[in-house]
């Protein structure tokens, strides 16, 4: 099947059109955000009760990293189905991601290190160069080494597309972060406990909505970038003069 037309010039608007037509793509990251937030809250509470535990902190980071990778994998499966014009089902997406639990668990610690490095601005290039690792793991059943090698090759070829996409698609999360932080600060300083709680909950919901929309857009962008890179690789590898069908 042809990949659904999301022209490169359309950018975020075209990707948003895919999400708008397949609103289930918002449900998958919403589930991940809710589960991730709940587990993170439990881990923070456990840390407070234990007075701070390095072992619990490391284990908690690994658990959260795996949850993020697994949720991302299910979203990528759904996004790829949407781009191929197939039905998008939540249960089927999670089942297909679950079929790759072993390799996803092996990748999760590396993914966590990459995220921390990117946040500290010391591993940003490495993180971008590994951007298509998870799609290869879950969509094509690749191993970690092969997926990393392929992702680096695509990054070297399409570096501009990586940077443009990741910059523009981050806007929903960035835009929601500032008002959420302001409302959260007001809630923390409020003398009325009920009002303060309501403001903090509202701030959390606002930030969660921004993260959910951003994750949905990134899922479509990431899946399409991977699928089109596969198609380009097949075309480049074909002998000249032969017709090569687009990768499904």
């Amino acid at each position: 099947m042809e990949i659904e037309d999301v022209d490169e010039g359309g950018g975020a608007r075209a990707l948003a059109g895919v999400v708008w037509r397949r609103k289930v793509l918002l449900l998958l990251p919403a589930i991940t955000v809710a589960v991730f937030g709940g587990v993170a809250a439990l881990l923070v509470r456990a840390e407070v009760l234990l007075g701070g535990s390095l072992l619990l902190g490391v284990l908690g980071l690994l658990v959260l990293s795996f949850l993020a990778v697994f949720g991302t994998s299910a979203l990528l499966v759904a996004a790829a189905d949407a781009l191929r014009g197939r039905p998008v089902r939540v249960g089927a997406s999670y089942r297909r991601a679950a079929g790759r639990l072993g390799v996803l668990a092996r990748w999760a610690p590396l993914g966590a290190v990459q995220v921390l490095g990117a946040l500290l601005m010391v591993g940003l290039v490495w993180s971008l160069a590994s951007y298509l690792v998870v799609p290869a793991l879950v969509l094509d059943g690749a191993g970690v080494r092969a997926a990393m090698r392929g992702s680096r090759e695509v990054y070297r070829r399409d570096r501009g597309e990586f940077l443009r996409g990741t910059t523009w698609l981050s806007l929903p999360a960035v835009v929601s972060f500032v008002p959420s932080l302001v409302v959260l600060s007001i809630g923390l300083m409020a003398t009325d406990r009920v009002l303060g709680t309501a403001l903090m909950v509202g701030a959390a919901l606002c930030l969660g909505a921004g993260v959910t929309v951003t994750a949905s857009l990134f899922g479509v962008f990431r899946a399409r970038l991977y699928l089109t890179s596969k198609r380009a690789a097949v075309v480049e590898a074909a002998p000249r003069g032969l017709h090569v069908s687009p990768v499904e």
Side-chain angles (χ1 to χ4, degrees):
M1 293 183 182
E2 295 281 355
I3 300 173
E4 184 172 323
D5 183 26
V6 181
D7 66 276
E8 295 180 7
R13 180 182 299 179
L15 296 172
V18 177
V19 176
W20 179 257
R21 291 189 293 273
R22 302 294 188 96
K23 296 181 179 61
V24 69
L25 294 174
L26 289 169
L27 178 59
L28 286 161
I31 293 172
T32 300
V33 169
V35 173
F36 188 95
V39 173
L42 291 175
L43 289 170
V44 170
R45 181 171 177 79
E47 282 281 1
V48 172
L49 292 175
L50 294 175
S53 169
L54 178 61
L55 177 60
L56 180 61
V58 173
L59 290 176
L61 182 61
L62 292 176
V63 170
L64 292 175
S65 178
F66 174 76
L67 290 175
V69 169
F70 182 72
T72 297
S73 299
L75 175 60
L76 287 169
V77 170
D81 283 343
L83 290 169
R84 288 164 166 166
R86 298 172 177 172
V88 179
R89 298 186 177 90
V90 174
S93 298
Y94 278 117
R95 284 193 295 272
R96 286 168 61 187
R100 300 291 291 161
L101 277 181
V103 72
L104 293 178
R106 291 195 295 273
W107 171 251
L110 290 174
V113 172
Q114 285 187 340
V115 170
L116 291 175
L119 291 175
L120 296 174
M121 300 304 291
V122 296
L124 185 58
V125 173
W126 181 33
S127 182
L128 287 173
S130 301
Y131 193 59
L132 297 183
V133 168
V134 177
L137 296 178
V138 73
L139 296 180
D140 280 335
V144 171
R145 289 185 180 180
M148 291 180 69
R149 184 170 57 251
S151 183
R152 286 195 298 268
E153 291 173 358
V154 177
Y155 175 70
R156 284 195 293 266
R157 186 176 66 239
D158 299 325
R159 187 173 306 175
E161 182 69 11
F162 273 63
L163 295 175
R164 285 193 299 272
T166 53
T167 299
W168 284 105
L169 298 181
S170 299
L171 286 179
V174 173
V175 170
S176 65
F177 177 77
V178 175
S180 297
L181 184 61
V182 172
V183 174
L184 178 63
S185 301
I186 295 174
L188 289 172
M189 294 184 295
T191 55
D192 188 318
R193 182 173 299 179
V194 175
L195 177 61
T197 300
L199 289 173
M200 287 187 287
V201 170
L205 291 175
C206 178
L207 183 59
V211 171
T212 296
V213 173
T214 300
S216 299
L217 294 173
F218 267 113
V220 178
F221 171 72
R222 205 170 178 181
R224 186 180 187 279
L225 190 60
Y226 178 73
L227 294 175
T228 53
S229 71
K230 279 181 56 181
R231 181 170 58 184
V234 171
V235 172
E236 289 176 2
R240 291 189 177 183
L242 293 181
H243 171 72
V244 179
S245 300
V247 175
E248 184 182 16

